[in-house]
Amino acid sequence: MNKNNADRKYLTYLAGVVFLLSLLPILYLAGIDRASGDDWGYGLLTHRAWMETHSLYQVFQAAVLTVRNYYGSWQGTWFSIFLFTLQPEVFSFEMYWIVPYIMLGLLIGSVSSFLYQVTVRFFHMALQDFLLVDIIVLFLLIQFAPSKKSSIFWYNGTAHYTVPFAMALFAIVCFMRFVQTFQIRNIVGAAVWMTLLGGTNYLAAIFGCLGFLFLGIFFYQKSRKVLWMGIPLVLEMIGLLISALAPGNERRGGETYEITAGRMLWAVIESFRAGAESILTAIRHHPLTLAAMVILAVIVWDIFRERHEGESLRFPLPGVVIFYFFGTYCAMYWPGIFAGVEVSGGVPNTIYWVSVLMMFSSILYGVGWAAGKYTSHRERNKNNIRYLYAAGIVAALVIAALGRSHIRQSTDYMCLEYILTGQADDYKAQMDQFTQLLTDDTVDEVVLPSINDWQGPLMHMPVTGNPDAWTNQKVKEFFGKQSVTAIPRQEWESGNSH
């Protein structure tokens, strides 16, 4: 092992320790996390089925019925709705803690599988080098997703955005494994992931589709067997068509909702404009992400410099490939622009996650091409690599210093602020009381002490003083009460002290 490899090994150890420590505040809040809002609405029928029968088959039937009801009245994303019905409190009021573990597991598992296939299986990087870049990318995805609620903590939001993002990556991994082994099981795996992906949010579905198109074009010359991956792609299109034609979409979109070729083309043009504008403002909106990308570029250059000295790696048409990655990122804006409605908090998460993967993919491909073209003098590059690292670190520090306020937007900062101020423990005590009052079988008309709707990185849609309010109605139905209302906490405590 040369000195550069040894240095990267220690850097990997350090990055690994920092990454594991960064997960602790998130996992601490897992024990405080609770269901809210849409969790109760979508989980109503499945919760009733479980409470009455404790039969998973009956729960499944209730989930299908819920999909049918919402498909006709609200939205067509049939697989997302199916997932919504299985929120943990359907089965137990003490199970919601599992949501952050599931979502972190899916993010880490899917991104790591994807990066392993790219870096180790295709570009033959050492395992320690894969771990280093994987940890940095994962840290960015977890810490700087715009909505912490919809990325990690709120089941309904994560089921519609985090889960499909992971599904798209797992499907792409199946494609990459197929072009290496041509095993039928990878076609089957991709078909399952892509079919279900067609019934989730449109951003993830488009991401999966563009990933398949890129791999199909890129590896077509290797073998025409890649055309078999057209089967999963067609299945996803069928799933998307079923979703798009849902009567509920038109009702939700209102009078302005229409599907026309002109509107689609306009949305494509606007998507490229939105993507270009976001790139130009990235130094202001995502400075720490850009700083990390500078470091990744230096690390990748060092890795590929060594690889090219021992073997030849091909990176044809770098300009075209990098533009395709940029177009994939821009495509994430398309559904929101086309629909013309206010997007939910999970949409910016998917846009950000895809931007990070596309930036890293562009670095990987562009630097790989440059390393093969400009690393003909081994000794000169060995002597200069330390200066390159120094320049990269200085550039990253300058960018990070300019955007240091962005640290306040990180997941860990928000979690620690919420924990250290005592708000987390206070929320846990109030939600325990909330559940105790609502599960009291002797009371049909429940009066609750009010709970602040701002709960840091956690989602909480409060019960209000209006018994006809949407959240009040969903809580009433989920817990089987005649009415549910909230009054100021001081008033409630005063009334219960007598």
Side-chain angles (χ1 to χ4, degrees):
M1 178 181 293
N2 63 38
K3 186 178 184 300
N4 288 334
N5 276 334
D7 291 340
R8 289 201 304 272
K9 179 180 72 173
Y10 294 125
L11 186 58
T12 301
Y13 291 153
L14 176 61
V17 171
V18 171
F19 179 69
L20 291 175
L21 290 175
S22 74
L23 297 179
L24 296 182
I26 300 171
L27 298 180
Y28 178 86
L29 287 184
I32 297 170
D33 200 14
R34 294 298 300 270
S36 184
D38 289 328
D39 287 330
W40 293 315
Y42 286 101
L44 174 61
L45 298 183
T46 47
H47 177 62
R48 286 180 180 174
W50 179 253
M51 295 301 292
E52 292 172 2
T53 67
H54 280 74
S55 164
L56 290 177
Y57 177 70
Q58 293 296 324
V59 170
F60 175 80
Q61 284 189 316
V64 172
L65 178 58
T66 303
V67 172
R68 187 178 71 180
N69 292 341
Y70 278 94
Y71 185 83
S73 64
W74 186 242
Q75 67 187 79
T77 49
W78 47 272
F79 186 65
S80 285
I81 298 172
F82 181 81
L83 292 178
F84 296 164
T85 68
L86 303 178
Q87 65 99 346
E89 287 197 8
V90 162
F91 305 99
S92 170
F93 298 120
E94 298 178 352
M95 280 186 63
Y96 208 81
W97 62 268
I98 201 172
V99 174
Y101 283 88
I102 292 174
M103 300 312 157
L104 285 175
L106 284 172
L107 269 179
I108 294 171
S110 61
V111 173
S112 298
S113 296
F114 170 74
L115 292 180
Y116 179 83
Q117 287 297 317
V118 173
T119 60
V120 177
R121 299 296 297 274
F122 282 113
F123 294 142
H124 311 296
M125 287 187 184
L127 184 61
Q128 72 172 43
D129 292 329
F130 148 71
L131 289 173
L132 178 57
V133 298
D134 183 47
I135 288 168
I136 295 173
V137 170
L138 284 171
F139 184 85
L140 295 175
L141 298 181
I142 293 171
Q143 291 297 323
F144 298 108
S147 173
K148 321 308 178 186
K149 299 175 177 65
S150 294
S151 63
I152 299 172
F153 293 107
W154 184 36
Y155 179 82
N156 189 268
T158 56
H160 196 41
Y161 293 101
T162 304
V163 174
F165 177 73
M167 290 168 57
L169 288 178
F170 284 136
I172 291 170
V173 167
C174 286
F175 197 132
M176 290 190 289
R177 288 177 176 173
F178 178 73
V179 299
Q180 291 180 315
T181 64
F182 298 110
Q183 294 178 332
I184 298 298
R185 65 183 183 184
N186 291 313
I187 299 178
V188 175
V192 172
W193 290 121
M194 292 291 277
T195 301
L196 298 178
L197 194 62
T200 64
N201 79 77
Y202 301 126
L203 282 78
I206 292 172
F207 178 49
C209 175
L210 292 176
F212 265 53
L213 288 175
F214 172 77
L215 292 172
I217 295 170
F218 195 83
F219 289 106
Y220 179 76
Q221 288 186 334
K222 178 180 179 180
S223 173
R224 293 189 178 182
K225 290 181 180 179
V226 299
L227 294 177
W228 282 103
M229 278 297 170
I231 296 175
L233 190 59
V234 169
L235 291 174
E236 189 207 39
M237 294 298 103
I238 294 173
L240 269 175
L241 183 63
I242 293 172
S243 177
L245 296 178
N249 291 340
E250 186 172 357
R251 294 181 184 179
R252 185 176 185 179
E255 297 180 355
T256 61
Y257 181 81
E258 61 176 350
I259 300 178
T260 64
R263 186 177 178 86
M264 290 182 178
L265 179 60
W266 168 81
V268 169
I269 297 171
E270 287 297 301
S271 298
F272 273 96
R273 182 189 61 78
E277 287 181 354
S278 69
I279 294 295
L280 295 175
T281 60
I283 189 70
R284 185 172 76 244
H285 294 151
H286 300 289
L288 298 181
T289 301
L290 287 182
M293 289 298 161
V294 172
I295 297 297
L296 280 171
V298 175
I299 292 172
V300 170
W301 173 271
D302 192 19
I303 294 169
F304 274 134
R305 178 186 62 84
E306 294 173 354
R307 299 306 304 167
H308 277 292
E309 288 170 359
E311 62 183 282
S312 176
L313 297 176
R314 294 184 65 253
F315 297 87
L317 303 174
V320 174
V321 170
I322 291 174
F323 181 77
Y324 188 93
F325 293 155
F326 171 70
T328 299
Y329 162 63
C330 292
M332 297 301 100
Y333 289 95
W334 186 88
I337 293 173
F338 175 78
V341 297
E342 184 178 353
V343 298
S344 63
V347 170
N349 287 347
T350 304
I351 292 174
Y352 174 72
W353 288 337
V354 172
S355 75
V356 170
L357 290 185
M358 293 302 98
M359 278 192 288
F360 178 68
S361 298
S362 298
I363 288 171
L364 202 61
Y365 204 92
V367 170
W369 171 82
K373 190 174 182 64
Y374 298 110
T375 56
S376 58
H377 301 290
R378 174 172 180 155
E379 291 302 320
R380 184 187 67 187
N381 282 279
K382 182 184 292 186
N383 292 332
N384 289 342
I385 192 64
R386 69 187 66 177
Y387 300 111
L388 183 60
Y389 267 102
I393 291 172
V394 169
L397 288 175
V398 169
I399 296 172
L402 293 173
R404 59 187 180 277
S405 61
H406 194 234
I407 295 175
R408 292 177 177 270
Q409 301 174 28
S410 68
T411 301
D412 274 356
Y413 188 96
M414 293 181 65
C415 289
L416 288 171
E417 182 182 43
Y418 186 57
I419 294 167
L420 296 177
T421 56
Q423 295 177 86
D425 289 338
D426 185 52
Y427 178 66
K428 182 180 187 305
Q430 292 183 49
M431 288 304 293
D432 288 344
Q433 181 186 53
F434 176 93
T435 303
Q436 182 182 10
L437 293 170
L438 285 166
T439 54
D440 185 347
D441 294 333
T442 66
V443 180
D444 290 325
E445 297 181 350
V446 182
V447 178
L448 301 169
S450 61
I451 299 176
N452 180 11
D453 63 336
W454 187 88
Q455 296 298 335
L458 306 185
M459 169 64 83
H460 182 68
M461 300 171 68
V463 174
T464 70
N466 178 9
D468 296 324
W470 184 86
T471 301
N472 294 53
Q473 289 293 308
K474 296 306 174 185
V475 172
K476 179 194 75 172
E477 294 169 358
F478 191 85
F479 288 92
K481 300 300 180 182
Q482 291 183 7
S483 69
V484 174
T485 189
I487 60 176
R489 180 163 292 273
Q490 285 185 332
E491 182 180 334
W492 187 91
E493 291 174 347
S494 175
N496 284 271
S497 63
H498 299 298

